[in-house]
Amino acid sequence: MHPNESNLHQPVTDIADPADGVAQTRADAHAPPEVPARGKQPKVRTTGQEGASEKAAKKRKPGRPRVAPYKEGKVWSFRVRRGGLDIYESGFASQEVAYEAMNELVKQLGTGKAPMYGGPGKNSLGKSLQRFGLDHLPGLKGAPQAVRRFNRWLKALGLPTLAILPVAQADQAPKNTTVRKGRYWAVHLVPDSAQVRIPRGLNAHRAALMSKSADSARVRQVLAAKDIAKVGRDDLQRYIQALEAEGLARATVGQEQSLLSGLFNHAKEFWHWNNMGGNAASGLNLTGELVKRERVLSEGEQTRFDEAVMECRVQTSKPAFQLLLETAMRAGEPRNATWGDVDWDNCVIALRETKNGKARKVPLSPAALDALRELGPSQEKQEPIFRMTYESLKAAWRRICERAGLEDLHIQDLRHTAATRMALKTGNVFLVKALTGHETFEMVERYVNVTALDVVKVMHAAQTPAPATPPALPPLQAEQQSSAPADALALMAQLAALSAQLSAQLAAGGGQQRPAPGPEHARARGPAANEPATGSQAQGA
């Protein structure tokens, strides 16, 4: 037997040459060894058992996560859990790049306070806002409004945008998509290719918005691509000035500042980005005046509004705005409420989630019930009352106001109008508070906007003559009133009411009165009325 013949029965692992990618064959294993060039080491051949042990050692490499990246659409993603954190990363071009990023992340997390996601020097402002949205929006009650502010920054970089669903509908998210769940919402990313197509009727609305905000959009695009570590207070101040130059209200500009300030605070506290310095979004100068909104729809304006809304191609526009005007609901509340929340017997809508996080019941007037019937009650209890998006509702509102010639009128002003009309109609602030759902009378006061014309209307209202009232009953003394039983007081009140009704009937001519006695009759009477008459006097009478 050849001395090397016994080795032929040993399994030999094929080793790939990294230079040309060709695997060595079994016959090459018995070729005489070549003399390696200077500076190069000869290749070491391993048996099957040794190869398996080397693979096991690689698997046990410290810091290597047990999970593997996975393909999500056209990009690669991974998800890692460390220290109670659920970290999701996406947008990698290949599996190898995702592996490198995942290993680096695990290495940083191993120290406990290492900067996450590579730190601020490796993340742009737009990418940081995307991560902040995934962390922040699931537990934010006002996420439907905030997500639009987030996505403006993400679209500036062409990043996947954020989409939200009620947490009970999280299973409706696209498959193979990581969903971040919170108390209120389930948040996931939507690639650019999966963006919802803009309806043809909204093209003009979008074009008007884009032309109005062209300057701030350019500044936003530059800042979104900049590393967050290099974003300074002067950069954000220029962005604020661009927003103010476009005529945005101070409250809107303040919301944009709060978004950026929340990002810096979140990154420092939860991502351990401590080397960014201070919060670049704090201390910005907002020059706009914080004006209290007092716009109310007058009766003449509502007549023009009703005429213009009849020309809408979308038949649900009229009942939608009528419902908001009659109930003082916010524009997003009928979109979150379902037909199963409508109590037709008691004439209320039970809102399970509101802006302040508490459930409340909205009273329905006869006109509000008619609007609901016109919207078309659905047999599906979980179907929302408003099926149109907020942008569609806003576009319809803009077209109606243009036709009616109404200026400076917002959808939110319908809420002011409903509260003001309830206050003028009833004079009861408690009823207004129950209608609007506010918790404090201070907020109710902000929504009740009584004008000078309303006061003039009350002053010059037709005055009806007050009916003659009988003399009031003598009031009880203080000690008698305090000791009088409740039944006696109630009886006295009923007697006073009956007396007032009798006087009103007499004043209206319900009974014929005797003519006033003349002088001859007075002389014939003789004695006073309280004196008894004699026999001759009685016969003369």
Side-chain angles (χ1 to χ4, degrees):
M1 179 180 294
H2 194 274
N4 292 332
E5 188 176 352
S6 60
N7 295 333
L8 295 177
H9 301 283
Q10 297 288 339
V12 179
T13 303
D14 293 339
I15 301 178
D17 190 346
D20 54 14
V22 179
Q24 296 180 355
T25 61
R26 186 184 301 274
D28 295 336
H30 307 290
E34 298 180 359
V35 179
R38 179 176 298 179
K40 293 184 179 180
Q41 297 296 330
K43 298 179 180 179
V44 180
R45 304 191 58 78
T46 59
T47 63
Q49 297 177 352
E50 293 174 350
S53 62
E54 288 182 0
K55 291 181 180 179
K58 290 182 179 180
K59 291 183 179 179
R60 293 191 300 267
K61 185 177 180 180
R64 186 181 181 87
R66 298 179 181 179
V67 297
Y70 55 92
K71 198 165 186 180
E72 194 172 35
K74 296 182 180 180
V75 297
W76 287 84
S77 309
F78 68 83
R79 189 167 189 148
V80 177
R81 288 181 179 271
R82 287 293 186 277
L85 296 175
D86 186 5
I87 304 171
Y88 166 74
E89 287 288 320
S90 181
F92 300 100
S94 63
Q95 186 180 19
E96 290 75 13
V97 176
Y99 255 125
E100 292 179 1
M102 186 169 58
N103 291 334
E104 182 66 22
L105 175 62
V106 172
K107 181 179 178 181
Q108 293 176 358
L109 294 176
T111 61
K113 292 187 178 180
M116 295 175 59
Y117 312 122
K122 296 184 179 181
N123 290 272
S124 64
L125 180 61
K127 185 65 178 179
S128 302
L129 281 168
Q130 185 189 59
R131 293 193 173 104
F132 178 46
L134 290 172
D135 291 350
H136 182 60
L137 291 178
L140 181 64
K141 186 63 188 68
Q145 292 77 29
V147 71
R148 293 194 293 270
R149 293 191 288 271
F150 276 94
N151 285 338
R152 279 196 290 266
W153 288 91
L154 305 187
K155 291 177 181 178
L157 281 184
L159 295 174
T161 57
L162 299 163
I164 62 173
L165 289 170
V167 69
Q169 303 175 10
D171 55 346
Q172 298 181 10
K175 295 182 179 180
N176 301 325
T177 302
T178 302
V179 180
R180 189 78 62 85
K181 297 180 182 180
R183 179 179 180 182
Y184 301 109
W185 308 101
V187 184
H188 62 93
L189 294 177
V190 179
D192 289 338
S193 59
Q195 291 295 326
V196 179
R197 185 179 63 86
I198 301 175
R200 184 175 301 177
L202 294 179
N203 287 334
H205 176 65
R206 284 289 184 90
L209 293 178
M210 291 178 64
S211 61
K212 182 180 179 181
S213 59
D215 293 339
S216 63
R218 284 192 291 267
V219 178
R220 189 185 301 113
Q221 187 174 12
V222 173
L223 289 178
K226 196 172 185 178
D227 288 345
I228 190 173
K230 298 179 181 179
V231 175
R233 186 172 283 107
D234 55 338
D235 298 321
L236 299 182
Q237 184 64 51
R238 282 196 295 270
Y239 177 60
I240 294 298
Q241 291 174 352
L243 294 176
E244 292 178 339
E246 294 168 358
L248 296 182
R250 175 166 178 169
T252 304
V253 179
Q255 291 174 351
E256 203 70 20
Q257 180 192 13
S258 298
L259 170 65
L260 297 170
S261 180
L263 165 64
F264 282 93
N265 291 333
H266 185 87
K268 187 173 183 179
E269 182 176 0
F270 296 100
W271 299 344
H272 308 297
W273 290 4
N274 299 318
N275 55 346
M276 289 192 305
N279 189 332
S282 64
L284 299 178
N285 184 22
L286 275 64
T287 59
E289 183 180 358
L290 191 60
V291 181
K292 179 182 176 182
R293 187 75 179 173
E294 295 182 350
R295 184 72 163 89
V296 174
L297 188 68
S298 66
E299 295 180 359
E301 289 176 333
Q302 184 174 353
T303 301
R304 304 204 310 266
F305 183 89
D306 294 339
E307 294 174 354
V309 78
M310 298 301 296
E311 302 178 11
C312 287
R313 291 177 296 177
V314 181
Q315 299 298 323
T316 56
S317 298
K318 177 181 178 296
F321 293 127
Q322 182 180 358
L323 182 65
L324 294 178
L325 178 60
E326 292 292 329
T327 60
M329 282 193 293
R330 302 175 180 90
E333 290 176 342
R335 296 179 61 244
N336 298 330
T338 63
W339 288 107
D341 298 328
V342 180
D343 187 351
W344 297 96
D345 296 332
N346 296 317
C347 301
V348 294
I349 296 178
L351 298 179
R352 291 168 292 179
E353 298 291 344
T354 59
K355 183 179 179 180
N356 56 16
K358 297 182 180 180
R360 72 181 180 95
K361 292 185 177 181
V362 179
L364 299 173
S365 65
L369 292 172
D370 293 339
L372 284 174
R373 296 187 185 97
E374 194 171 349
L375 285 170
S378 175
Q379 299 298 330
E380 297 293 335
K381 299 297 184 181
Q382 298 302 321
E383 184 176 345
I385 296 176
F386 276 12
R387 285 169 289 184
M388 59 177 58
T389 63
Y390 180 76
E391 286 198 349
S392 300
L393 190 70
K394 193 173 181 180
W397 176 267
R398 181 180 59 84
R399 290 192 295 266
I400 293 171
C401 290
E402 289 178 355
R403 294 194 200 102
L406 302 178
E407 298 180 356
D408 190 30
L409 188 64
H410 303 165
I411 298 179
Q412 182 71 3
D413 295 334
L414 295 180
R415 185 167 162 82
H416 288 253
T417 304
T420 303
R421 290 181 178 179
M422 177 62 72
L424 292 173
K425 181 179 180 180
T426 64
N428 192 327
V429 69
F430 294 96
L431 295 180
V432 180
K433 186 171 178 287
L435 177 67
T436 60
H438 288 120
E439 292 187 343
T440 62
F441 290 104
E442 181 181 0
M443 289 301 300
V444 174
E445 184 181 359
R446 291 183 58 182
Y447 277 81
V448 176
N449 309 123
V450 179
T451 63
L453 295 179
D454 297 325
V455 180
V456 170
K457 188 180 299 184
V458 174
M459 287 179 172
H460 293 266
Q463 297 292 336
T464 57
T469 57
L473 296 176
L476 295 176
Q477 299 296 328
E479 60 273 12
Q480 294 176 344
Q481 188 172 1
S482 60
S483 61
D487 295 339
L489 294 176
L491 180 59
M492 292 179 64
Q494 293 178 3
L495 291 174
L498 291 174
S499 178
Q501 293 178 3
L502 180 59
S503 299
Q505 292 176 0
L506 292 176
Q512 295 184 357
Q513 297 180 354
R514 295 171 56 186
E520 296 82 2
H521 183 69
R523 286 193 300 268
R525 290 185 57 187
N530 57 353
E531 295 180 0
T534 62
S536 60
Q537 291 174 342
Q539 292 177 0

Tab-separated table of all heavy atoms in Angstrom, residues 92 231 276 294 357 359 425 462 488 504:
chain	number	residue	atom	x	y	z
A	92	PHE	N	-30.104	48.997	4.229
A	92	PHE	CA	-28.756	48.595	3.835
A	92	PHE	C	-28.777	47.996	2.434
A	92	PHE	O	-29.706	47.279	2.053
A	92	PHE	CB	-28.187	47.588	4.832
A	92	PHE	CG	-28.086	48.124	6.229
A	92	PHE	CD1	-29.049	47.813	7.178
A	92	PHE	CD2	-27.055	48.967	6.591
A	92	PHE	CE1	-28.979	48.315	8.465
A	92	PHE	CE2	-26.973	49.479	7.873
A	92	PHE	CZ	-27.937	49.150	8.812
A	231	VAL	N	-25.044	70.037	12.933
A	231	VAL	CA	-26.170	70.970	12.878
A	231	VAL	C	-26.089	71.905	14.081
A	231	VAL	O	-26.099	71.454	15.234
A	231	VAL	CB	-27.514	70.215	12.866
A	231	VAL	CG1	-28.676	71.195	12.933
A	231	VAL	CG2	-27.616	69.355	11.607
A	276	MET	N	-22.772	65.635	21.396
A	276	MET	CA	-23.354	66.645	20.512
A	276	MET	C	-23.331	68.031	21.135
A	276	MET	O	-23.606	69.016	20.456
A	276	MET	CB	-24.816	66.285	20.189
A	276	MET	CG	-24.982	65.105	19.270
A	276	MET	SD	-26.685	64.982	18.680
A	276	MET	CE	-27.595	64.951	20.206
A	294	GLU	N	-59.949	83.953	17.057
A	294	GLU	CA	-61.303	84.333	17.440
A	294	GLU	C	-62.228	84.365	16.232
A	294	GLU	O	-63.246	85.057	16.251
A	294	GLU	CB	-61.301	85.700	18.135
A	294	GLU	CG	-60.553	85.725	19.457
A	294	GLU	CD	-60.603	87.076	20.134
A	294	GLU	OE1	-61.063	88.040	19.476
A	294	GLU	OE2	-60.209	87.177	21.313
A	357	GLY	N	-56.548	62.251	25.600
A	357	GLY	CA	-56.386	60.857	25.990
A	357	GLY	C	-57.538	60.272	26.761
A	357	GLY	O	-57.450	59.136	27.209
A	359	ALA	N	-61.792	59.409	27.098
A	359	ALA	CA	-63.014	59.194	26.314
A	359	ALA	C	-64.074	60.212	26.715
A	359	ALA	O	-64.107	60.675	27.851
A	359	ALA	CB	-63.529	57.774	26.544
A	425	LYS	N	-76.966	80.870	22.801
A	425	LYS	CA	-78.299	80.283	22.843
A	425	LYS	C	-78.743	79.954	24.264
A	425	LYS	O	-79.908	80.145	24.629
A	425	LYS	CB	-78.331	79.023	21.977
A	425	LYS	CG	-79.692	78.333	21.916
A	425	LYS	CD	-79.619	77.104	21.013
A	425	LYS	CE	-80.973	76.408	20.947
A	425	LYS	NZ	-80.929	75.208	20.064
A	462	ALA	N	-86.457	92.657	20.049
A	462	ALA	CA	-87.822	93.142	20.333
A	462	ALA	C	-88.194	92.802	21.760
A	462	ALA	O	-88.158	91.637	22.164
A	462	ALA	CB	-88.801	92.514	19.350
A	488	ALA	N	-92.533	73.170	52.249
A	488	ALA	CA	-93.234	74.447	52.346
A	488	ALA	C	-92.680	75.447	51.345
A	488	ALA	O	-93.422	76.189	50.685
A	488	ALA	CB	-93.133	74.992	53.770
A	504	ALA	N	-101.441	86.952	34.234
A	504	ALA	CA	-101.204	87.041	32.794
A	504	ALA	C	-102.498	86.862	32.023
A	504	ALA	O	-102.761	87.550	31.026
A	504	ALA	CB	-100.169	86.003	32.369
